[in-house]
Amino acid sequence: MRTPSSSRRRASRSLAGSRPDAGGGLGRRRFLSSLPVLGAGAALLGGCATQEGAVTGVDRVLSISLGQAESHPSYGSLVSFGERIAEATDGRYGARVYANNSLGDQQETVQLVSDGAIDMAVISGTQIENSSPRFLPMNVPGVFDDIDHQNRVMLDEAIVGELFASLEPQMRLTVLGGYTQGSRHLYTAQGPIESVEDLAGLKIRVQESEIFLRLIDAIGGVPTPMAYSEVYTGLQAGVLDGAENNEVSYVTQRHYEVAGHFTLTNHLIGFDFLLANTDLLEEMDERDAEALRAAWAETQSEFVEIWKQETEKMTAQMLDRGVTITDPDPEVFAPLIEEVGLSILEHPDDLALYEAIRAAAEGGDA
Ligand code: GCU
C-alpha cells in the first residue's frame, strides 16, 4: 500500500522541475504540491468532515480533478465514489473532489495524473482522443444509440478492457470508466437555428478535437476551439456566437445567460473518462484496488439514472428561464452529422471497435 509519505515523495519529484505560476499568489502547482499533505492532515483530523468534497478520517485522501461546477451531478457522484471507497477499504482510502478545474484544465490534468501529481481526473472523450487516437470510435456521432447502450459498452470488459489499459505502459494512466455526457446540442446567442443557412458564419466553440471541428463545419458553423472554462466569457464578449454541449452543462455553467437559443441537434453522445494513475493502483493492496474499481463500476451505473433525471430537470429550468428550445427538422442536420461520423474512421482497428460497439446495441446491429 502506498503511504502518505511515499506519495509525497513522488508528487514532489514530479513537480520539481515545473515552471512556477505567473501572477504570484498561491499558484496552482504550489497548491498541488500540498495535496498529499492534505491527505495526511485529513487522517490527523480523525473523522471531522472539514474539507469540502472530501471523505475525511481515512488514511489516504485521493485527489480527483473535475472540470464541472459543484452543481453538476458528477460532483456529487464523485463525492459518493469517495464514500464508497472509504467503506470498501475500511478507511484506508477516501477521496477529495476538486471542482471547477481548480487543479488545471482537462488537457493539463492528463499529464498531472500521468505524473502522479493528481491521483485521478475526469476528462472529456476529446482529451483522451488527443492522447490516443484509439479512443476515437467512442466519440463518433451515431456510435451509441442511447446512454444505456453507452454504459453497457463502457462496462464490457470484452470491448473496452484492452483499450482502457492501453495507456498504462507509456503514460501510467488507467482508464477506470467514466460518466455519460448525454446527447450534445448546439446553442447560440442569436436564433432560432433551423437551417444550415441560419448557422452560416457563426463562431461556435468546440472542444479541441478533429471530430468537433469537422462536425460544426459540416453543419455550417465556424468551429472555434476553446477551453470549457472560457466559454462563458467568450460568449459574453461576443468572441463566440455559440457553443455546443448537453443541457446539464448549459445550465450549470449558466451559458443560458449569454446564449439563449438551444437547438436540439443531438450530434453525439459524449463520454467523460475517469483516469487514475497506474502506479497508485499497482501500489495499493490488491483487494483495495479491486474495491476501488468495484466502487467505480457502481458509481458509474448509478449515474446513468441520475443523468436522465438531471437532464429533465435542467430542461424544465431552461424553459423557466426563457430559453428558446428549437427541435429542427431531422432532415436538416442529421444527414450531415451522420456523414461526418461515417467518414472519420479509417483505420481497421477503429472500424473493428466501432462495429463491436454497434453490435452491443439493443438490436445488435453491427
Ligand atoms: C461536457 C463534459 C466536459 C467537457 C465539456 C466541454 O460538460 O462533461 O467534460 O469538458 O463538455 O465541452 O468542454
Side-chain angles (χ1 to χ4, degrees):
M1 190 175 95
R2 197 163 104 181
T3 61
S5 56
S6 70
S7 56
R8 186 179 312 132
R9 270 199 309 278
R10 213 155 60 82
S12 44
R13 196 174 55 234
S14 61
L15 291 164
S18 57
R19 184 169 45 87
D21 270 359
L26 181 61
R28 184 184 286 152
R29 290 182 192 281
R30 267 186 55 213
F31 176 55
L32 275 174
S33 67
S34 71
L35 285 179
V37 181
L38 275 178
L44 294 177
L45 290 169
C48 309
T50 53
Q51 291 173 20
E52 214 179 312
V55 174
T56 54
V58 296
D59 298 339
R60 167 80 161 81
V61 180
L62 304 174
S63 50
I64 310 182
S65 169
L66 177 70
Q68 307 291 356
E70 285 91 343
S71 53
H72 189 280
S74 55
Y75 177 79
S77 170
L78 286 174
V79 173
S80 318
F81 174 47
E83 287 161 4
R84 284 192 171 112
I85 299 174
E87 204 181 317
T89 63
D90 286 327
R92 285 183 291 281
Y93 291 90
R96 179 172 182 185
V97 188
Y98 293 83
N100 293 310
N101 277 322
S102 55
L103 300 183
D105 275 332
Q106 289 185 344
Q107 196 67 60
E108 195 181 356
T109 59
V110 174
Q111 190 58 47
L112 292 168
V113 176
S114 170
D115 292 345
I118 301 177
D119 296 308
M120 289 181 253
V122 175
I123 61 151
S124 191
T126 49
Q127 268 91 26
I128 203 156
E129 185 193 303
N130 290 339
S131 297
S132 164
R134 290 187 60 189
F135 284 81
L136 194 71
M138 305 262 171
N139 214 15
V140 159
V143 69
F144 299 115
D145 282 358
D146 51 36
I147 64 177
D148 292 307
H149 172 212
Q150 183 187 51
N151 190 51
R152 232 175 16 253
V153 167
M154 296 298 183
L155 292 172
D156 188 335
E157 188 66 24
I159 303 179
V160 300
E162 204 223 320
L163 181 69
F164 282 8
S166 64
L167 302 176
E168 291 174 354
Q170 303 288 332
M171 300 181 73
R172 308 308 287 150
L173 291 172
T174 300
V175 179
L176 292 174
Y179 288 128
T180 187
Q181 294 178 0
S183 278
R184 297 183 69 110
H185 308 281
L186 187 81
Y187 47 90
T188 44
Q190 303 298 321
I193 302 292
E194 283 164 338
S195 65
V196 171
E197 291 72 39
D198 290 341
L199 206 55
L202 297 190
K203 287 187 269 32
I204 306 297
R205 178 268 171 171
V206 290
Q207 300 178 84
E208 299 89 337
S209 134
E210 179 66 23
I211 291 183
F212 281 91
L213 290 169
R214 285 211 213 171
L215 258 174
I216 296 302
D217 189 51
I219 62 175
V222 180
T224 310
M226 192 181 279
Y228 186 47
S229 53
E230 287 162 20
V231 179
Y232 185 96
T233 42
L235 288 165
Q236 193 178 38
V239 175
L240 298 170
D241 299 305
E244 60 73 51
N245 220 310
N246 52 56
E247 292 85 344
V248 177
S249 290
Y250 178 67
V251 173
T252 55
Q253 293 291 311
R254 304 196 335 273
H255 289 171
Y256 58 85
E257 291 177 358
V258 280
H261 294 272
F262 199 87
T263 310
L264 298 168
T265 45
N266 273 305
H267 44 274
L268 60 82
I269 299 179
F271 198 72
D272 279 328
F273 290 87
L274 178 68
L275 299 181
N277 176 270
T278 308
D279 293 328
L280 163 77
L281 298 175
E282 288 179 357
E283 288 166 20
M284 282 170 92
D285 174 278
E286 217 170 288
R287 274 167 310 167
D288 284 343
E290 216 23 71
L292 183 144
R293 284 181 185 270
W296 175 256
E298 215 175 294
T299 307
Q300 175 174 321
S301 294
E302 177 192 71
F303 191 76
V304 174
E305 279 316 304
I306 296 176
W307 185 264
K308 289 178 188 166
Q309 288 164 17
E310 285 291 314
T311 303
E312 272 181 34
K313 212 169 96 188
M314 298 299 161
T315 306
Q317 283 192 26
M318 283 157 61
L319 292 169
D320 283 353
R321 292 170 200 273
V323 171
T324 310
I325 303 182
T326 305
D327 196 358
D329 181 341
E331 288 312 305
V332 174
F333 297 118
L336 301 171
I337 292 167
E338 200 184 317
E339 213 179 299
V340 172
L342 294 175
S343 68
I344 202 134
L345 298 178
E346 287 167 357
H347 195 282
D349 291 349
D350 290 349
L351 292 166
L353 177 56
Y354 180 87
E355 273 160 27
I357 298 174
R358 291 302 312 149
E362 213 68 85
D365 57 329

